[in-house]
Amino acid sequence: MDIPKMVLFDYGQTLFAEQAFDGVKGTEAVLQYAVKNKYHLSAEQVQARANELNQELGRFLPGKRHVMQIEVPNTMFTPYLYESLGIEIALSNAEIDTVFWNAAAPGVPTEGIKDFLVYLKSKGIRTGVISNISYAPAVVAERINRMLPENDFEFIITSSNYMFRKPNKRIFELALEKAGLHPEQVWYIGDQYECDVKGSLNAGLMPIWYIGAIDLPYTEDNEILTITDWKELRRRMEE
C-alpha cells in the first residue's frame, strides 16, 4: 500500500462506538436544569416535538443521511425546540449539548484505535477528524480529547461549525486546505458508505471502510478496502 501523509477519521462508529441513541434519556437529563416549564411537559413530550421537527427538516432519516448536505446545528435547533414549548433551561447551548449527548448516546473509543493512533504518530503520519455532527464544535472536541488524550489530531472539522455535511466534497476540500495536502496524499476512514466512503472517494481521497463498530445495514463493496479492526489495517500498511 502507498502510505499516506495524513489519515482523516470519521467520529461516530469509527473513532468512537456510541450506544444506541436514546433521545428521551437525553431530554430527561436536560430538563433537570429547567427553570421554567410552562406546560409541564415531560421528556417524552419534548422529544416527540424534537422528532417532529427533525422529520420536517429531514434530519437523521435512516438511509437518507447523505441526502442532507447542509447541517442544522444544535445551537439553532435546541433554542427553538425549548423556547417554542415555553421551556427555559439554565444552561448555555453548549452545556445543553454536553448534558444531552452524554445521556442520549454515551460512547467509548473503538477497540484498538488508541494503539493505531500511536502507531500512526510513530510513523510520522498526520491525523485529523471530519465529522457530520450537530453538536457544538467545542463539545465534540472535548469528548474526543478527553477520551483519546493521546491523539495528535491537527484539526477536528465538524459540520456544525462548517455547514457542509459529507458526502459534499466541500468539507473534504476544507480539510485538504487546512492540511496543505493533495487528495491522493490522504486517506479517509469512516463507517457510512454514502457519506464516508463515496464522499471521500468523490473528493479524490483514498477511502477505507471501517465496519468494526457499524450500526447500520450495509452491503459489501469488493472494490473498497474494508477493515473490521485497526490491527488489520496496520498489518496491511506494513506489508
Side-chain angles (χ1 to χ4, degrees):
M1 298 178 70
D2 292 331
I3 301 303
K5 290 185 178 296
M6 189 170 201
V7 176
L8 298 174
F9 295 87
D10 172 48
Y11 162 77
Q13 310 313 118
T14 303
L15 286 175
F16 284 73
E18 290 193 345
Q19 295 181 17
F21 178 82
D22 190 330
V24 172
K25 282 186 178 180
T27 303
E28 283 177 345
V30 172
L31 285 178
Q32 293 180 21
Y33 296 90
V35 294
K36 178 182 176 182
N37 188 341
K38 183 177 180 181
Y39 303 107
H40 307 288
L41 299 176
S42 67
E44 288 79 6
Q45 289 171 312
V46 174
Q47 188 58 35
R49 174 61 66 85
N51 294 342
E52 177 186 325
L53 293 173
N54 284 327
Q55 182 75 23
E56 187 176 314
L57 293 169
R59 296 171 95 207
F60 315 131
L61 296 178
K64 295 184 178 180
R65 297 179 182 181
H66 63 286
V67 175
M68 188 174 181
Q69 296 186 25
I70 301 297
E71 187 66 77
V72 177
N74 285 357
T75 51
M76 298 170 64
F77 182 87
T78 300
Y80 179 84
L81 171 65
Y82 285 105
E83 291 177 33
S84 69
L85 295 174
I87 298 173
E88 294 181 11
I89 305 296
L91 297 173
S92 68
N93 288 335
E95 289 170 334
I96 291 174
D97 268 4
T98 298
V99 170
F100 180 88
W101 194 15
N102 287 343
V108 295
T110 51
E111 185 175 355
I113 187 60
K114 294 181 180 181
D115 290 340
F116 186 63
L117 291 175
V118 170
Y119 169 73
L120 293 179
K121 186 174 182 178
S122 73
K123 294 296 183 181
I125 298 173
R126 301 158 61 190
T127 54
V129 179
I130 307 177
S131 176
N132 281 356
I133 200 161
S134 58
Y135 299 112
V139 173
V140 178
E142 189 280 330
R143 177 180 278 203
I144 290 174
N145 291 329
R146 173 171 46 85
M147 300 187 75
L148 287 175
E150 69 282 358
N151 84 73
D152 200 30
F153 298 136
E154 293 185 15
F155 49 75
I156 298 172
I157 292 176
T158 63
S159 55
S160 60
N161 197 37
Y162 291 103
M163 181 171 64
F164 292 105
R165 289 174 54 86
K166 300 170 295 182
N168 195 305
K169 69 177 182 179
R170 293 189 183 277
I171 197 164
F172 294 103
E173 290 172 346
L174 171 64
L176 293 172
E177 174 62 28
K178 291 172 79 68
L181 295 172
H182 299 294
E184 62 273 14
Q185 297 174 306
V186 181
W187 291 359
Y188 187 77
I189 307 177
D191 71 300
Q192 290 191 357
Y193 184 77
E194 293 290 340
C195 292
D196 297 324
V197 175
K198 291 184 68 174
S200 59
L201 181 63
N202 290 338
L205 287 70
M206 176 177 167
I208 297 177
W209 196 5
Y210 174 72
I211 60 171
I214 199 166
D215 61 351
L216 294 171
Y218 67 95
T219 302
E220 293 185 11
D221 184 339
N222 294 328
E223 296 184 0
I224 299 296
L225 175 57
T226 304
I227 60 168
T228 58
D229 65 71
W230 300 110
K231 289 181 180 179
E232 176 186 356
L233 181 54
R234 176 173 174 171
R235 286 195 299 270
R236 286 175 174 265
M237 292 174 70
E238 293 178 340
E239 288 178 353

